[in-house]
Amino acid sequence: MENISGDTKLSALSIPGTHDSATQYVNLSPIFQCQDTDIQTQLENVYRYLDIRLVLKNDNLILKHNFAKCRKDKSIFSTSLTLDDVLNDIYTFLDQNPSETVIFCVKKENSKDDLNKVKSILNSKIPTDSFLPSIRIPTLDEVRCKIVLATRFENDYSLYLNWQEQGDHTILDVPHKKEDMNVSESFFVQDRYNYDVEDKMQAIEYCLENSMSNDSTFHLNFTSTSGKGKVGFPKKYAKKINNYLMEYDWQKKYYGILIVDFADQELAHKIYLTN
């Protein structure tokens, strides 16, 4: 982001992102693993949107994908990856790369968790001098060397990026949906995570072709899918989808935030070089 004009809104950038970012070491990995690198490596590989799924454990927040625990290392006896672990990696990266920003998008993964407690812990973990305490889309200069906190729930200190689940199998001509962030800003999101691979690639391409730069509108384009079966195998699907993205005819235009499974450096370069 160093060479991008500081008055550019984040919503006017092409930004590489990772889906279920903390799942490098996750229980039941054939089903729940969506990344094969850790958060630090994803940041070094130029991914700037992180998809973070938090669950309450006593007075702490840990990372899970559905009910599967995200671990600190590959040992089955490893302890849970915590919010503190992830934030430490991000702050270390930002200290070393002050031109950058990271969109930190949080979902409450367990519907039974006390939302007020989740918000209280989350907000206490992010110092106000190191993130943008605002619910509006910022310019790049406002958030260099900072976290941009986004949440799938209403919160006084974050961008509101919530959408209705898009897990049905119905194939839509227009696969993305517009959602409001606040009274003047909005976002389009495509998160059809139960499409088969061919239908998913068509949904991704529709959004790539129809994304338009706008200071008040984000575009979120999820490339992940678990297929139409009861049990999905993300790595198998991601291989085909990521090959498609590598061969896509990228132009110098705005593509919004592309959120991918099994994200590597080469694909991130394809995305951010469109800026």
Side-chain angles (χ1 to χ4, degrees), residues 44-94:
E44 291 170 352
N45 286 346
V46 202
Y47 290 91
R48 296 291 180 266
Y49 172 103
L50 300 177
D51 175 23
I52 303 296
R53 315 295 180 92
L54 297 178
V55 172
L56 272 174
K57 184 178 181 181
N58 300 321
D59 291 324
N60 202 359
L61 290 169
I62 64 171
L63 282 291
K64 282 191 175 183
H65 179 187
N66 200 307
F67 60 82
K69 181 179 74 173
C70 298
R71 307 189 305 268
K72 293 186 181 184
D73 58 51
K74 63 182 178 181
S75 169
I76 61 172
F77 303 107
S78 173
T79 55
S80 296
L81 189 69
T82 68
L83 174 61
D84 287 333
D85 296 324
V86 174
L87 289 175
N88 286 339
D89 283 344
I90 297 174
Y91 286 131
T92 297
F93 174 81
L94 291 174

Side-chain angles (χ1 to χ4, degrees), residues 178-194:
K178 188 176 183 180
E179 304 279 359
D180 291 332
M181 293 174 57
N182 52 50
V183 294
S184 60
E185 297 175 326
S186 58
F187 65 98
F188 287 91
V189 59
Q190 181 281 118
D191 187 20
R192 305 291 167 182
Y193 58 85
N194 278 330

Side-chain angles (χ1 to χ4, degrees), residues 106-225:
V106 171
K107 181 182 180 184
K108 183 171 75 75
E109 192 73 342
N110 184 351
S111 61
K112 296 180 180 179
D113 281 348
D114 182 336
L115 177 58
N116 288 329
K117 189 171 183 180
V118 171
K119 290 196 291 187
S120 176
I121 297 172
L122 175 64
N123 293 336
S124 72
K125 297 286 186 180
I126 303 182
T128 55
D129 61 348
S130 62
F131 83 111
L132 183 76
S134 172
I135 59 172
R136 60 174 175 79
I137 298 172
T139 64
L140 188 53
D141 265 354
E142 289 179 298
V143 292
R144 290 193 196 274
C145 204
K146 289 182 171 63
I147 287 175
V148 177
L149 179 61
T151 51
R152 298 277 300 269
F153 46 81
E154 291 189 82
N155 184 35
D156 292 338
Y157 302 100
S158 62
L159 293 173
Y160 183 53
L161 293 179
N162 189 37
W163 59 92
Q164 293 293 318
E165 293 287 336
Q166 299 182 3
D168 61 280
H169 299 290
T170 307
I171 306 304
L172 303 174
D173 292 335
V174 179
H176 65 192
K177 186 177 179 183
K178 188 176 183 180
E179 304 279 359
D180 291 332
M181 293 174 57
N182 52 50
V183 294
S184 60
E185 297 175 326
S186 58
F187 65 98
F188 287 91
V189 59
Q190 181 281 118
D191 187 20
R192 305 291 167 182
Y193 58 85
N194 278 330
Y195 278 11
D196 65 27
V197 171
E198 297 300 326
D199 290 329
K200 181 66 177 184
M201 288 192 294
Q202 290 183 23
I204 295 165
E205 183 168 340
Y206 176 93
C207 295
L208 291 174
E209 297 298 318
N210 289 280
S211 59
M212 294 181 292
S213 177
N214 189 315
D215 282 352
S216 62
T217 308
F218 271 118
H219 287 79
L220 277 64
N221 194 356
F222 282 82
T223 73
S224 51
T225 187

Side-chain angles (χ1 to χ4, degrees), residues 14-15 175-176 190 200-213 219-223 241 244-251 253-260 267 270-271 274:
S14 296
I15 298 176
H176 65 192
Q190 181 281 118
K200 181 66 177 184
M201 288 192 294
Q202 290 183 23
I204 295 165
E205 183 168 340
Y206 176 93
C207 295
L208 291 174
E209 297 298 318
N210 289 280
S211 59
M212 294 181 292
S213 177
H219 287 79
L220 277 64
N221 194 356
F222 282 82
T223 73
I241 290 171
Y244 156 76
L245 291 171
M246 288 300 298
E247 295 172 2
Y248 182 75
D249 184 22
W250 299 94
Q251 304 294 316
K253 61 160 278 186
Y254 163 78
Y255 288 101
I257 304 174
L258 243 74
I259 304 130
V260 304
L267 181 52
K270 289 277 187 179
I271 299 166
T274 66

